[in-house]
Amino acid sequence: MKKTFELIATVAAGLESVVGKEIRDLGIDCHVENGKVHFQGDLKTIIETNLWLRAADRIKIVVGQFPARTFEELFQGVYHLDWENYLPLGSTFPIAKAKCVKSKLHNEPSVQAITKKAVVKKLQKIYHRPENIPLMENGPEYKIEVSILKDQARIMIDTTGSSLFKRGYRVDKGGAPIKENMAAAILMLSNWYPDKPLVDPTCGSGTFCIEAAMLAMNIAPGFNRDFAFEQWSWVPKDLVQEIRDQAEKRANYDLELDISGFDIDGRMIAVAQKNAEEAGLSGVINWKQMRLQDFKTDKINGVIISNPPYGERLLDDKAIDILYNEMGQTFALLKTWSQFILTSDEAFETKYGRQADKKRKLYNGTLKVDLYQYFGQRVKRQVANERGLV
């Protein structure tokens, strides 16, 4: 099998720089383009990036790239790739996805069928199997994906399985919860550090708080889940276990944190508590049923992160207007606290009562949203007391 791989981390639009920094922090050189980050690595790299990347969606192996203006070019291009380095005899290899953009080949089901046919023909030749007898596919699964952009085909194998946002700790959820990797990315885009208080006043199932605790304690986000590559015969199980053991040693479970999640719905607080327990964070986060309007504190230099109801999450426009206005009035009193609020409501600043210091466009699934960023006055406690800021 191969020693070095061309790899891609797929990522939601607007978060490419976050994932690029994560990959560089692992000591891996990379370059960023729309929706993906390119890098190279070995088996260890595949394991570590799946285990450690908090904001990415998937890690994919690039098997090859070539021009594909006709179905014959597609067939020949796929056929001449080195499938013997990826697919052992008996592998299950569905063509799980085909995407064609601005290309002469635009019939995606046909692209999938031609790709499958080419891989089968190549494996029959490699493993000396007769063409008139179907290949047995009863082994581990290798999901193959085809992307054709401007007549350039890219053939990939997904190493991840279920998307990386599925950490494995969410036992229940509320209506339209934020994805775990989006929450982690927003935390990394904020000015929050583990020595600061953090509050999510509309915590729902607790994703922001749980991701913050995992980030602060250096808990690998993929520690409690499995990956597709773990079933592959050419990925040594002892190497996977070694890297998991190293991740366990890097976690700092004794770190004291000041993280709180509030919600007006007591049922959601119970759900958040269960999710935190499943993540191994029992007793780490302060959960409380409370209206956000009732939030008061004498702490300074804290951070509020909120994914309040918006768009499809709450259809009552009047209720949204009232909520955003009350948020603005409540948080305006917290002079030293920074606020990071995610919503699709383009009139949010008017309803909130303040223009954001900074605004960042993101996508929550297919829904365009904005991260409104308000930065608090950074002061020392003595100065804060003198100025009446606490």
Side-chain angles (χ1 to χ4, degrees):
M1 296 296 172
K2 294 177 78 74
K3 301 289 186 185
T4 304
F5 302 88
E6 293 290 331
L7 300 167
I8 286 176
T10 58
V11 56
L15 299 179
E16 296 90 347
S17 62
V18 176
V19 175
K21 183 179 184 303
E22 285 194 277
I23 291 173
R24 293 186 190 100
D25 287 346
L26 290 173
I28 304 165
D29 190 27
C30 65
H31 73 273
V32 173
E33 67 177 54
N34 290 340
K36 49 185 75 73
V37 182
H38 296 259
F39 57 105
Q40 292 183 330
D42 54 14
L43 274 179
K44 183 180 179 184
T45 307
I46 292 174
I47 300 167
E48 287 185 335
T49 49
N50 272 288
L51 192 64
W52 280 103
L53 293 185
R54 299 180 190 276
D57 288 325
R58 296 178 183 277
I59 307 301
K60 300 177 183 179
I61 296 170
V62 179
V63 183
Q65 303 179 78
F66 51 83
R69 295 172 290 268
T70 67
F71 283 122
E72 180 60 23
E73 280 190 333
L74 176 64
F75 179 92
Q76 293 299 332
V78 173
Y79 181 84
H80 285 98
L81 296 176
D82 58 337
W83 292 107
E84 63 273 21
N85 287 321
Y86 302 97
L87 304 180
L89 183 62
S91 300
T92 302
F93 53 98
I95 313 303
K97 184 179 180 182
K99 185 176 182 181
C100 305
V101 179
K102 298 179 181 178
S103 299
K104 293 181 179 64
L105 298 180
H106 52 79
N107 188 312
E108 293 172 353
S110 296
V111 167
Q112 288 175 289
I114 293 294
T115 301
K116 180 73 175 187
K117 182 178 178 181
V119 178
V120 168
K121 290 285 187 184
K122 182 62 173 285
L123 294 182
Q124 286 173 331
K125 179 182 178 182
I126 292 168
Y127 296 119
H128 309 290
R129 293 298 187 267
E131 293 188 6
N132 61 337
I133 299 177
L135 282 175
M136 292 294 292
E137 295 187 41
N138 52 10
E141 185 175 68
Y142 298 76
K143 286 187 177 179
I144 298 171
E145 299 183 7
V146 185
S147 171
I148 306 179
L149 174 62
K150 297 179 180 178
D151 298 325
Q152 291 291 315
R154 177 181 288 155
I155 313 299
M156 298 166 287
I157 297 175
D158 173 38
T159 73
T160 301
S162 297
S163 177
L164 290 175
F165 81 81
K166 295 185 178 180
R167 313 290 205 221
Y169 63 71
R170 185 177 275 171
V171 295
D172 200 353
K173 58 185 179 181
I178 190 169
K179 289 182 178 179
E180 291 88 329
N181 54 355
M182 171 72 82
I186 290 171
L187 285 159
M188 289 187 279
L189 287 169
S190 77
N191 63 354
W192 179 71
Y193 289 93
D195 61 343
K196 293 182 178 182
L198 178 77
V199 170
D200 180 355
T202 57
C203 71
S205 58
T207 306
F208 271 126
C209 296
I210 293 170
E211 289 294 320
M214 292 176 66
L215 177 62
M217 292 178 164
N218 203 31
I219 299 171
F223 190 78
N224 287 323
R225 56 159 290 172
D226 299 322
F227 303 98
F229 67 79
E230 293 185 78
Q231 301 302 315
W232 300 351
S233 61
W234 47 272
V235 178
K237 287 182 169 40
D238 57 349
L239 178 62
V240 176
Q241 190 58 51
E242 178 186 339
I243 294 171
R244 284 187 176 277
D245 290 343
Q246 290 171 356
E248 176 72 4
K249 291 176 183 177
R250 289 169 61 179
N252 181 6
Y253 295 104
D254 296 326
L255 184 66
E256 291 189 9
L257 298 168
D258 187 352
I259 299 175
S260 299
F262 308 137
D263 201 282
I264 195 171
D265 187 345
R267 186 185 68 86
M268 292 313 304
I269 291 297
V271 168
Q273 288 175 324
K274 288 181 182 177
N275 290 340
E277 289 169 7
E278 188 68 22
L281 299 172
S282 181
V284 172
I285 301 164
N286 172 42
W287 306 106
K288 184 178 180 181
Q289 180 182 3
M290 187 176 75
R291 299 190 315 155
L292 69 85
Q293 300 92 319
D294 295 330
F295 175 56
K296 296 179 177 62
T297 182
D298 59 359
K299 297 173 184 176
I300 63 169
N301 301 329
V303 174
I304 290 170
I305 293 190
S306 176
N307 177 39
Y310 57 80
E312 296 175 0
R313 302 179 70 236
L314 183 61
L315 298 177
D316 187 339
D317 290 341
K318 185 177 180 181
I320 290 177
D321 294 352
I322 294 171
L323 174 66
Y324 290 171
N325 181 259
E326 289 178 339
M327 288 179 75
Q329 292 182 33
T330 301
F331 301 155
L333 301 175
L334 306 173
K335 303 294 186 183
T336 69
W337 283 62
S338 296
Q339 298 136 46
F340 298 83
I341 300 169
L342 188 73
T343 177
S344 66
D345 191 334
E346 295 182 355
F348 171 77
E349 289 165 305
T350 300
K351 298 171 184 177
Y352 194 68
R354 272 195 296 161
Q355 291 291 114
D357 296 315
K358 191 175 179 182
K359 188 166 71 170
R360 189 181 185 110
K361 183 173 73 174
L362 302 172
Y363 283 87
N364 189 7
T366 58
L367 181 65
K368 176 186 170 295
V369 294
D370 287 293
L371 178 64
Y372 294 88
Q373 305 171 55
Y374 300 86
F375 302 109
Q377 303 171 24
R378 180 71 177 175
V379 294
K380 294 181 179 179
R381 175 164 289 278
Q382 182 179 350
V383 176
N385 286 327
E386 291 171 355
R387 295 181 183 176
L389 297 175
V390 296

